[in-house]
Amino acid sequence: QVQLVESGGGSVQAGGSLRLSCQVSGYTERTYCMGWFRQTPGKAREGVAALTSTGGTSYADAVKGRFTISKDNTENTLYLQMNSLKVEDTAQYYCAADPTPVLYRGGCMITRRGYWGQGTQVTVSS
C-alpha cells in the first residue's frame, strides 16, 4: 500500500523559510513523477514543483528562484525547501506521486494510478 505523509508545514512571517517533507512508503514503481501541489479555498489545486525519475524538474513561475524540490532516495523522502515566503504562498500543500514521469504545469501529470498525501498547511503572515 502506497502512503505519502507530509510534514513541516506551519506559520511563518513573510520572508521566512520552511521545509516540507513527504515520506513515501510502499512505492515500488521504477518510474515516477513526484511533486508538490497547493490549494487555497475556492481555487483549483495547482502544481508547485516536481521531479521525475528521468531527471526532469519543473517549477511554477510563481515560485521559481524561491522554492527547491529534492528527493532523498535513501530515506524515500521528497522535500520542498521554501525560501523568501510570501503571503500568497499560504495554502494547503500536498505531495503526490505517479508512475508516469510527465511534468505538467509546474507539477506532475497525476493520473488515476497516482497517489496523494493528506496535505500540510502553510500560513505566511505579513
Side-chain angles (χ1 to χ4, degrees), residues 89-106:
D89 294 319
T90 295
Q92 185 81 352
Y93 282 72
Y94 300 87
C95 69
D98 196 284
T100 305
V102 174
L103 298 168
Y104 182 71
R105 292 186 178 181

Side-chain angles (χ1 to χ4, degrees), residues 47-112:
V48 175
L51 49 77
T52 69
S53 53
T54 54
T57 57
S58 180
Y59 293 91
D61 288 343
V63 307
K64 283 180 181 176
R66 300 188 297 121
F67 291 11
T68 303
I69 189 171
S70 61
K71 185 175 181 288
D72 186 323
N73 292 322
T74 301
E75 297 186 355
N76 293 323
T77 302
L78 186 71
Y79 297 101
L80 184 68
Q81 178 65 43
M82 305 187 295
N83 298 329
S84 302
L85 282 161
K86 303 178 180 180
V87 172
E88 51 263 44
D89 294 319
T90 295
Q92 185 81 352
Y93 282 72
Y94 300 87
C95 69
D98 196 284
T100 305
V102 174
L103 298 168
Y104 182 71
R105 292 186 178 181
C108 295
M109 177 72 74
I110 303 299
T111 68
R112 285 180 292 180

Side-chain angles (χ1 to χ4, degrees), residues 2 5 11-12 20-21 23 25-26 28 32 36 38 45 51-52 59 64 73-74 87 96 110 113 120:
V2 177
V5 180
S11 298
V12 65
L20 304 184
S21 300
Q23 180 69 50
S25 61
T28 59
Y32 59 81
W36 292 93
R38 65 187 182 187
R45 193 172 296 186
L51 49 77
T52 69
Y59 293 91
K64 283 180 181 176
N73 292 322
T74 301
V87 172
I110 303 299
R113 297 175 60 204
T120 185

Side-chain angles (χ1 to χ4, degrees), residues 3-45:
Q3 287 190 317
L4 284 70
V5 180
E6 302 96 334
S7 62
S11 298
V12 65
Q13 287 193 320
S17 298
L18 283 174
R19 188 177 78 158
L20 304 184
S21 300
C22 176
Q23 180 69 50
V24 182
S25 61
Y27 189 90
T28 59
E29 300 278 354
R30 290 190 304 157
T31 62
Y32 59 81
C33 181
M34 293 188 180
W36 292 93
F37 294 75
R38 65 187 182 187
Q39 188 171 25
T40 54
K43 293 189 177 181
R45 193 172 296 186

